[in-house]
Amino acid sequence: MRDSKRVAYWIRRLSEIAMFGWLGLMLLADLTVAASSPPLQFMVFACGIAGIVAMALRRRYRVESFAILAGLSMLTSVVMTSTGTTGIPGAAETGALLVLVLGVIRHVEPVRTAAILACAGLIVLMAEAFARAESVEALAFAFLLFAAWSTIAGVGGYLRFQQERRNEAVRSVRRTERLELARELHDLVAHHITGIVVQAQAARTVAQTSPTAVVPALDAIATAGSEALTSMRRMVTVLRADEASRSPGTSLADLRLLTDRFSAEGPKVAFEIGQGIDGRTLAPEVLTTLHRVLLEALTNVRKHAPRAGWVEADLRRYDATVVLRVRNFDSASDPRVARLGGGFGLVGMAERVEALGGHLDAGLTPEGAWEIRAEFPLH
């Protein structure tokens, strides 16, 4: 996962450098044209400089940078046509406007605002063509600028559509898991409350024969109530945060049973539980989340690496944390590389782990194995 993020980071940086390099070359072309044209053509050169600045600030001030550049461009067109000055549209100015239109269509909310701003960008581009150039040239520039704007609008719309589809899929997964959590919350409450009721009835019976034994029973009731409140508070916090769910009642034996079943049907799994870990070490919600992460990891091995030679899984304690690792080896190919965000199952697992204050990573190890690593704090 970290390797994929590093690759994506450098691809993004290199694309930014290339884009600003092209804008710089366009700005030099604008300067060359301005040097051999009427003085007002230098306003076009100034718009090109403003466009490069707007591009540098577009991620932080997306709408503002677009609006300022569009306003300066329109002002330049009005001044040139009112004075009868002819020239050509600025290359850097136009390139920056088109890129800003792409960002507006893809990111600005709501969609209506994005559409209005994109249409405003088209008006500004048409003003560049008809207000600055002569009639014959104006038609040619208008056609080229309209074709460029149409292409950019189509690309931006497609990217926005894909992002909306993914966002809706993620919301659907979270809604489903939230409903599951609501059902399981009832089971968790019933489990704890039943224990408290049983202990209270036992304390009442003991009080009739041995009053001194009531105090330990009351202490046990208080402890059980505190544990119930802690577990319910964590689960309700996850529910409010639209996070994923967990099934109460999972034990370490369930983890081993899960790996045994997987070994019988798929690649062999070597599962090891380290020293210092038992049923009392981990909170119930951590145990059940470990079960879900292990299940998702093994399911991914079966789905994406069916020819894996074997799978290594271990659960170990490191000071104040517990770490689950699942690694598969000898896979001919692994299409999940660098795509944690592409699988909704792993997205849901990451949400669950982070809801408990932990962290989940997935990616290639230096040895070439695919590894999922979930880390939880011990409270």
Side-chain angles (χ1 to χ4, degrees):
M1 180 62 182
R2 291 171 181 170
D3 291 340
S4 65
K5 287 184 176 179
R6 188 179 302 111
V7 171
Y9 169 79
W10 281 110
I11 290 176
R12 183 175 175 179
R13 289 295 300 271
L14 290 175
S15 63
E16 288 277 314
I17 293 173
M19 181 179 61
F20 279 103
W22 275 106
L23 288 176
L25 291 176
M26 292 178 181
L27 189 63
L28 289 177
D30 290 339
L31 179 60
T32 302
V33 172
S36 58
S37 301
L40 285 180
Q41 186 68 29
F42 277 98
M43 292 183 65
V44 176
F45 175 73
C47 285
I49 296 176
I52 293 177
V53 174
M55 288 289 296
L57 300 176
R58 72 188 187 283
R59 300 190 188 279
R60 182 176 298 180
Y61 307 104
R62 191 173 302 279
V63 175
E64 294 83 354
S65 59
F66 171 79
I68 292 174
L69 179 58
L72 289 175
S73 179
M74 181 61 75
L75 177 63
T76 300
S77 299
V78 170
V79 170
M80 291 184 70
T81 192
S82 62
T83 58
T85 303
T86 58
I88 62 172
E93 169 192 4
T94 302
L97 270 173
L98 290 172
V99 175
L100 291 175
V101 167
L102 174 63
V104 163
I105 295 175
R106 185 178 180 185
H107 297 290
V108 171
E109 296 288 350
V111 177
R112 179 183 301 177
T113 302
I116 293 173
L117 292 175
C119 291
L122 176 60
I123 294 173
V124 172
L125 291 172
M126 292 299 99
E128 285 188 33
F130 288 110
R132 300 182 189 180
E134 304 208 3
S135 57
V136 177
E137 296 175 345
L139 289 174
F141 281 126
F143 175 79
L144 292 175
L145 293 180
F146 180 78
W149 179 90
S150 300
T151 303
I152 288 295
V155 172
Y158 174 77
L159 293 175
R160 188 182 187 109
F161 172 72
Q162 293 296 327
Q163 185 61 41
E164 290 294 334
R165 285 185 59 188
R166 174 169 175 78
N167 291 341
E168 180 56 34
V170 171
R171 286 193 293 266
S172 177
V173 169
R174 290 178 175 174
R175 281 196 300 268
T176 301
E177 292 174 343
R178 189 171 71 251
L179 291 174
E180 183 184 349
L181 175 60
R183 292 191 298 268
E184 294 170 351
L185 183 58
H186 170 269
D187 297 337
L188 180 65
V189 172
H191 172 76
H192 285 292
I193 296 301
T194 299
I196 292 173
V197 170
V198 170
Q199 293 182 32
Q201 291 173 341
R204 181 178 181 181
T205 301
V206 171
Q208 298 176 357
T209 58
S210 179
T212 58
V214 174
V215 174
L218 293 176
D219 290 339
I221 291 173
T223 301
S226 177
E227 292 176 353
L229 288 174
T230 300
S231 296
M232 285 187 290
R233 186 178 299 113
R234 286 175 177 171
M235 295 187 78
V236 171
T237 298
V238 174
L239 179 60
R240 289 176 175 173
D242 195 23
E243 303 288 352
S245 58
R246 296 168 294 279
S247 300
T250 302
S251 64
L252 289 176
D254 294 320
L255 300 181
R256 194 170 295 281
L257 179 61
L258 175 62
T259 57
D260 291 342
R261 289 177 176 174
F262 183 86
S263 296
E265 301 175 2
K268 299 299 181 183
V269 181
F271 182 52
E272 180 181 357
I273 299 178
Q275 295 182 350
I277 299 178
D278 54 35
R280 296 168 296 178
T281 306
L282 305 174
E285 55 270 20
V286 172
L287 267 172
T288 49
T289 302
L290 284 170
H291 186 274
R292 297 292 290 271
V293 172
L294 181 59
L295 175 62
E296 179 68 26
L298 295 178
T299 301
N300 282 344
V301 172
R302 179 170 295 162
K303 183 185 300 184
H304 300 288
R307 294 187 295 277
W310 58 288
V311 181
E312 178 184 279
D314 59 73
L315 181 64
R316 300 185 184 278
R317 179 175 179 175
Y318 301 93
D319 297 329
T321 61
V322 62
V323 177
L324 172 67
R325 295 193 311 162
V326 182
R327 298 193 293 174
N328 60 276
F329 298 84
D330 301 334
S331 175
S333 63
D334 197 329
R336 293 167 295 157
V337 174
R339 290 176 60 184
L340 174 61
F344 297 116
L346 286 178
V347 171
M349 292 306 103
E351 297 286 347
R352 288 188 177 94
V353 174
E354 292 170 4
L356 297 179
H359 182 70
L360 185 139
D361 275 323
L364 287 174
T365 65
E367 296 82 14
W370 176 267
E371 178 180 272
I372 294 179
R373 186 177 188 275
E375 178 178 332
F376 300 86
L378 292 175
H379 300 290

